[in-house]
């Protein structure tokens, strides 16, 4: 059974930092591309970042480019998102999502971790 | 970035109804489109990928069609458990983008 479990969310001050983690199990993590997707309270889904299976290819949404950093540890079956220079508009539930077999759609999602940016 | 426009943004329907949701892309994306269902407080669930392929385990009352810029998600016979918000997503090119969502409510 595929499982994705996010952690690391919480309250951060504007300008602060957080590091999100996603622990993967039930599939061959090193063979699959991964993503982070977020959802602000009461709003729709927003793609945040993508990383290839080896970590050699990375993409970011313009809204987070230069502030967020995605990485992965295939030996630990873990995905990460480093959030720096946080803004109020970064407040959201952050989901890690596994890419499907054939293309960049998301066939499995974690339960999400809430990041709140407020002073 | 490719923009996805979903319509309607919300609809009211009864169990047993046929429901159609459309998603229009600002430029051609061939068949690079997926559909998701999201219930309150839960993560999204993949329903359809590559515009018309039904994800394993998803009931056959869900179907997708379209290519290029115009896509449709159809629920043939709405069930009580289908009341949720539905999103389209394009993966033809980065940045990946989502439609604004369609909330399906009980009439």
């Amino acid at each position: 059974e595929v499982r994705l479990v996010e952690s690391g969310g919480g309250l951060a001050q504007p300008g602060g930092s957080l590091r999100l983690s996603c622990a993967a199990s039930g599939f061959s993590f090193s063979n699959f591309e991964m993503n982070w997707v977020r959802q602000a309270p009461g709003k729709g889904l927003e793609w945040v970042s993508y990383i290839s299976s080896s970590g050699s290819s990375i993409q970011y949404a313009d809204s987070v480019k230069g502030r967020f950093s995605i990485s992965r540890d295939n030996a630990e079956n873990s995905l990460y998102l480093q959030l720096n220079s946080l803004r109020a508009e970064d407040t959201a539930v952050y989901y890690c999502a596994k890419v499907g077999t054939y293309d960049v759609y998301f066939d499995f999602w974690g339960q999400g971790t809430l990041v709140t940016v407020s002073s | 970035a490719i923009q996805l426009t979903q319509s309607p943004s919300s609809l009211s329907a009864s169990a047993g109804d046929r429901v159609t949701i459309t998603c229009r892309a600002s430029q051609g994306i061939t068949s690079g489109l997926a559909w998701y269902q999201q219930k309150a407080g839960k993560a999204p669930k993949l329903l359809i990928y590559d515009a018309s392929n039904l994800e394993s385990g998803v009931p056959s009352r869900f179907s997708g069609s379209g290519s290029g810029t115009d896509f449709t998600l159809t629920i043939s016979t709405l069930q009580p458990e289908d009341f949720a918000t539905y999103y389209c997503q394009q993966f033809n090119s980065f940045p990946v983008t989502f439609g604004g969502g369609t909330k399906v409510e009980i009439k």
Side-chain angles (χ1 to χ4, degrees):
Chain A
E1 177 194 5
V2 172
R3 284 198 75 201
L4 298 169
V5 180
E6 302 94 337
S7 60
L11 177 65
Q13 292 194 334
S17 297
L18 282 174
R19 189 192 196 209
L20 307 184
S21 300
C22 173
S25 61
F27 66 103
S28 182
F29 179 75
S30 61
N31 288 342
F32 287 91
E33 301 154 20
M34 298 292 295
N35 288 257
W36 289 96
V37 178
R38 70 183 180 183
Q39 186 169 35
K43 302 297 184 182
L45 300 169
E46 180 188 15
W47 171 78
V48 172
S49 185
Y50 155 96
I51 187 167
S52 64
S53 56
S54 67
S56 61
S57 178
I58 285 172
Q59 300 280 346
Y60 296 102
D62 286 346
S63 58
V64 307
K65 201 172 293 183
R67 300 188 300 121
F68 290 9
S69 177
I70 192 172
S71 61
R72 65 191 296 160
D73 185 335
N74 286 342
E76 295 292 327
N77 291 338
S78 293
L79 175 72
Y80 305 102
L81 187 68
Q82 178 69 40
L83 288 65
N84 296 330
S85 303
L86 283 163
R87 305 167 179 168
E89 55 265 34
D90 296 320
T91 294
V93 173
Y94 285 74
Y95 296 101
C96 66
K98 171 186 170 290
V99 166
T101 302
Y102 306 110
D103 222 319
V104 187
Y105 51 87
F106 310 130
D107 60 355
F108 288 96
W109 300 62
Q111 85 289 349
T113 188
L114 176 63
V115 171
T116 302
V117 182
S118 175
S119 55
Chain B
I2 297 173
Q3 296 180 20
L4 297 179
T5 303
Q6 278 184 245
S7 60
S9 57
S10 66
L11 65 91
S12 295
S14 301
D17 286 352
R18 181 182 182 89
V19 168
T20 298
I21 299 168
T22 65
C23 180
R24 175 164 287 176
S26 59
Q27 63 190 78
I29 57 172
T30 59
S31 61
L33 190 97
W35 290 96
Y36 302 87
Q37 176 194 67
Q38 187 179 33
K39 297 182 178 179
K42 300 293 187 182
K45 173 188 174 183
L46 176 67
L47 300 175
I48 302 285
Y49 63 94
D50 289 347
S52 60
N53 290 328
L54 191 69
E55 173 70 350
S56 176
V58 174
S60 60
R61 63 181 180 273
F62 292 93
S63 64
S65 64
S67 67
T69 60
D70 293 302
F71 301 86
T72 299
L73 173 71
T74 299
I75 310 172
S76 60
T77 306
L78 197 66
Q79 297 298 305
E81 60 267 31
D82 300 337
F83 292 96
T85 300
Y86 294 84
Y87 294 93
C88 57
Q89 174 233 334
Q90 71 80 21
F91 49 88
N92 186 72
S93 63
F94 286 106
V96 167
T97 49
F98 289 90
T102 296
K103 187 172 185 179
V104 177
E105 299 176 300
I106 301 172
K107 181 183 285 185

